[in-house]
Amino acid sequence: MKQLILALDVMDGEKAMEIAKKVAEHVDRIKVNYPLVLSAGVGIMKRLSEIKPVIADFKIADVPYTSSLIARIAFENSAESVIVHGFVGSDTLREVCRVAEEFGGKVYAVTELSSPGGEEFMSAVSLKIVEKAKEAGCHGLIAPSTRIERLREIRKAAGDMEILCPGIGAQKGSIEAVKYADGIIVGRGIYASGNPAEEARKLRRVLKI
Ligand code: NUP
């Protein structure tokens, strides 16, 4: 079953809860990121996790020890998974996976950012990132819906690893991404619309997920 994941990048905790409750029946998981957690506090993750499983998109990108602390904070605050940058290399990837395992959590590694800048440096190494993420024990990958030809390559290299794709909606990613992805991440296209529940429902229909 392919998933629809809400990227809840609003900056008010109560607003986040309100949107999460409204869209709950149409989305599979909720992804939080710095804008919400830095504004509302880390406790928002536990509250949201009572509605849907929470992915902590902290794009962890530090030395192994510091990265392990960040991952631990995410899991201790009810995250079911964390996102780590793939370019950090094997040692950090392994350390984050080790912490995740303690909590029965999952780790997704960013291959190349969906934004245009993702092509400047990351595209050149993203297939290598796939290999390192797989070796380190990452459960899945984040890959762009904005560059379908890259996504196709990443899927080929990833085998049966889970792939989550951001970019559909505000970043003009292609809905063709759904062919290669296990989950589609949408933020502004849902939460910034007049009717988030209706938008999420429509997206499911358009994406046939
Ligand atoms: O490559 C990535 N692109 C991306 O947009 C990796 C990500 N984690 N994201 C995140 O997905 C981004 O930080 C935001 O939280 C979400 C996309 O939101 P939107 O562009 O649909 O509003």
Side-chain angles (χ1 to χ4, degrees), residues 13-32:
E14 295 320 309
K15 180 92 189 145
M17 290 301 293
E18 185 190 315
I19 295 171
K21 283 179 196 156
K22 280 191 187 148
V23 303
E25 64 175 301
H26 305 295
V27 303
D28 300 287
R29 285 187 278 175
I30 295 172
K31 184 180 80 59
V32 300

Side-chain angles (χ1 to χ4, degrees), residues 7 9 31 33 57 59 83 110 112-114 142 166-168 170-171 185-189 191:
D9 294 331
K31 184 180 80 59
N33 198 336
D57 185 1
K59 293 189 188 66
I83 296 179
V110 178
E112 51 181 84
L113 282 175
S114 55
I142 309 293
I168 289 176
Q171 298 177 50
I185 298 172
V186 179
R188 287 163 287 180
Y191 72 74

Side-chain angles (χ1 to χ4, degrees), residues 111-200:
T111 54
E112 51 181 84
L113 282 175
S114 55
S115 42
E119 235 176 339
E120 290 177 13
F121 300 105
M122 298 176 84
S123 290
V125 293
S126 60
L127 296 183
K128 192 143 189 213
I129 287 175
V130 173
E131 197 186 302
K132 296 291 176 195
K134 203 188 283 186
E135 278 169 20
C138 293
H139 181 89
L141 301 163
I142 309 293
S145 65
T146 47
R147 291 187 292 278
I148 290 295
E149 70 300 341
R150 296 298 308 151
L151 175 59
R152 200 179 296 127
E153 290 300 305
I154 290 168
R155 167 49 81 197
K156 247 194 257 165
D160 61 2
M161 284 178 94
E162 202 180 308
I163 297 184
L164 307 182
C165 283
I168 289 176
Q171 298 177 50
K172 302 195 169 29
S174 165
I175 61 167
E176 204 193 329
V178 79
K179 270 204 252 170
Y180 307 101
D182 300 283
I184 297 293
I185 298 172
V186 179
R188 287 163 287 180
I190 296 176
Y191 72 74
S193 74
N195 187 341
E198 178 57 19
E199 277 312 312

